[in-house]
Amino acid sequence: GAGVSQSPSNKVTEKGKDVELRCDPISGHTALYWYRQSLGQGLEFLIYFQGNSAPDKSGLPSDRFSAERTGGSVSTLTIQRTQQEDSAVYLCASSSARTANQPQHFGDGTRLSIL
Amino acid sequence: EDKVVQSPLSLVVHEGDTVTLNCSYEVTNFRSLLWYKQEKKAPTFLFMLTSSGIEKKSGRLSSILDKKELFSILNITATQTGDSAVYLCAVQPSTSGTYKYIFGTGTRLKVLA
């Protein structure tokens, strides 16, 4: 595709349920990032994947959060036993190279609302 | 702890005005600084800065980095209503094994007709 694709665009669920958010990066991009953006806040780093290397999970806020990236392409962010404070926009970004000199390209995000 | 601070938090101007947005940072071993524009959804890339004192320019937008004083500014001249957005600054520390970015909370700019 032409850009980073995220699905669903909106998700409303009850507290305690599990949710899965999907990110399809730009074809050929080896780096993939997940961020969380709460209302009126900046982007909070969650996790970073680069090729086949071990992911940088240092931003995951609790063990209820996990992410995987299968085949070096599509990634899924899973939140178990959702809490109201998990309500936010979850943004995915990808970039084309291992080095720092390539900007990230963002998807439109998934707006998650926990009732 | 690595951090990025943007100011002002919000700004309201009239069309034609010039604005300056600020981004200061404290990170371990700076690698690069990026500016993004976020309207309704996906942030869109504006500039990447790695060297001090070299201005990057795109139309009415320009940005410069000062690695000694640890800040960057984003200038927008002759503002238009289409410039209304949140402007995000992100810094990438040079940490072995990862290329994550640290974002500021953004500056919300509103340009009135």
Side-chain angles (χ1 to χ4, degrees):
Chain A
V4 177
S5 177
Q6 292 189 244
S7 61
S9 54
N10 286 283
K11 176 74 175 177
V12 181
T13 192
E14 294 179 346
K15 177 181 170 182
K17 300 285 189 185
D18 297 353
V19 295
E20 282 190 355
L21 312 180
R22 176 188 168 103
C23 173
D24 200 342
I26 293 172
S27 178
H29 279 193
T30 57
L32 187 147
Y33 302 78
W34 282 100
Y35 295 90
R36 178 169 69 176
Q37 188 174 32
S38 301
L39 189 63
Q41 300 297 311
L43 274 65
E44 175 190 2
F45 168 78
L46 298 177
I47 189 168
Y48 160 72
F49 295 90
Q50 171 59 57
N52 295 321
S53 302
D56 178 347
K57 304 179 181 180
S58 60
L60 294 178
S62 78
D63 59 8
R64 295 186 296 105
F65 288 71
S66 63
E68 61 179 26
R69 188 179 184 193
T70 53
S73 180
V74 172
S75 177
T76 302
L77 177 69
T78 301
I79 309 173
Q80 296 178 309
R81 305 181 302 282
T82 52
Q83 304 293 314
Q84 288 185 329
E85 61 263 28
D86 299 335
S87 297
V89 175
Y90 289 81
L91 288 162
C92 176
S94 69
S95 66
S96 64
R98 188 184 183 90
T99 68
N101 295 325
Q102 298 295 332
Q104 302 166 86
H105 299 268
F106 284 85
D108 282 343
T110 293
R111 182 174 297 279
L112 177 63
S113 301
I114 309 299
L115 304 178
Chain B
E1 181 185 348
D2 295 338
K3 65 179 180 181
V4 176
V5 178
Q6 292 187 245
S7 64
L9 291 180
S10 65
L11 190 56
V12 180
V13 300
H14 289 90
E15 273 193 320
D17 288 350
T18 293
V19 297
T20 298
L21 310 182
N22 303 288
C23 175
S24 63
Y25 60 90
E26 292 179 24
V27 297
T28 306
N29 300 325
F30 172 90
R31 176 176 277 147
S32 63
L33 183 146
L34 285 76
W35 284 97
Y36 285 86
K37 177 182 181 182
Q38 186 176 27
E39 295 178 83
K40 292 189 177 176
K41 293 186 175 180
T44 54
F45 171 74
L46 295 175
F47 299 111
M48 173 180 276
L49 303 158
T50 56
S51 301
S52 270
I54 299 173
E55 185 183 52
K56 294 223 171 173
K57 197 170 172 65
S58 175
R60 296 176 295 103
L61 278 66
S62 64
S63 184
I64 197 161
L65 174 67
D66 186 328
K67 290 167 73 172
K68 182 179 176 186
E69 300 298 328
L70 309 183
F71 77 93
S72 173
I73 60 172
L74 175 68
N75 278 320
I76 309 174
T77 59
T79 51
Q80 302 171 357
T81 55
D83 296 327
S84 297
V86 175
Y87 289 84
L88 296 166
C89 173
V91 173
Q92 187 178 62
S94 175
T95 305
S96 176
T98 183
Y99 295 88
K100 69 182 183 186
Y101 291 84
I102 300 165
F103 279 80
T105 55
T107 293
R108 183 175 296 276
L109 174 66
K110 187 170 180 63
V111 181
L112 302 175

